[in-house]
Amino acid sequence: MAATTAQPMASLPSGGAICSTAPDVFYMPELVFGGLVWILVASTHVDPPNPLGWVMFVSVFCFVMTFLWVIIFAAGCHKNNPGWASADFVYHSMAALFYLSASVSLANITLQKKTAGDPKVYKLDISAVVFAYLAFSFYFMHAILSSVRWKNF
């Protein structure tokens, strides 16, 4: 007869533990790189407005939501509810998808503006593209690790 072993239930961190647990350690890089994308895109002339407006929306939305997410987890408002583990996975997956689309749009616009325009603005746009892809990678890694935590919850 096979013996069953109980899987240890995962727990959601709260307080200072969000700075040391596997998926939650990515909160600060997400905020830093997302904020840098926001600043760099806002410091240049927003032309064309449609794709760069999307980039601004993504960077501002994800920055604000991630900051609120950090506050919720740090304050312990989740009370170790399994619904928060799934919400964490869904949010970070959505943010990764948003940042991927914003990064591709920003890279396309930057390549189009390479020959015509101020070299200083071009360098700012290149920096924004790099930081957007870094933000995407941190959100993507957070989503993957959150899915593992959600599965084990």
Side-chain angles (χ1 to χ4, degrees):
M1 186 145 150
T4 59
T5 59
Q7 293 282 340
M9 188 169 145
S11 63
L12 295 171
S14 61
I18 65 169
C19 295
S20 62
T21 56
D24 303 311
V25 75
F26 294 123
Y27 280 131
M28 289 307 131
E30 290 166 358
L31 286 171
V32 168
F33 291 120
L36 285 170
V37 172
W38 178 8
I39 291 166
L40 289 170
V41 172
S43 68
T44 62
H45 181 67
V46 180
D47 181 44
N50 190 15
L52 287 179
W54 172 248
V55 174
M56 284 297 294
F57 168 76
V58 168
S59 60
V60 172
F61 173 78
C62 290
F63 185 86
V64 170
M65 289 301 295
T66 301
F67 184 75
L68 291 174
W69 214 248
V70 168
I71 298 299
I72 288 169
F73 272 69
C77 296
H78 52 73
K79 297 186 183 8
N80 220 17
N81 186 341
W84 283 98
S86 60
D88 188 45
F89 166 65
V90 168
Y91 167 68
H92 283 92
S93 298
M94 180 189 69
L97 181 65
F98 278 7
Y99 256 109
L100 179 62
S101 67
S103 301
V104 170
S105 297
L106 188 58
N108 184 31
I109 291 166
T110 302
L111 284 175
Q112 289 175 4
K113 294 191 323 186
K114 179 179 181 179
T115 56
D118 185 14
K120 180 181 176 185
V121 172
Y122 178 68
K123 290 176 184 176
L124 289 173
D125 287 342
I126 290 286
S127 301
V129 169
V130 170
F131 291 137
Y133 277 110
L134 283 171
F136 159 70
S137 64
F138 282 115
Y139 277 108
F140 183 72
M141 289 185 289
H142 197 142
I144 296 297
L145 293 173
S146 291
S147 70
V148 170
R149 178 171 58 191
W150 176 44
K151 183 180 176 194
N152 291 334
F153 210 88

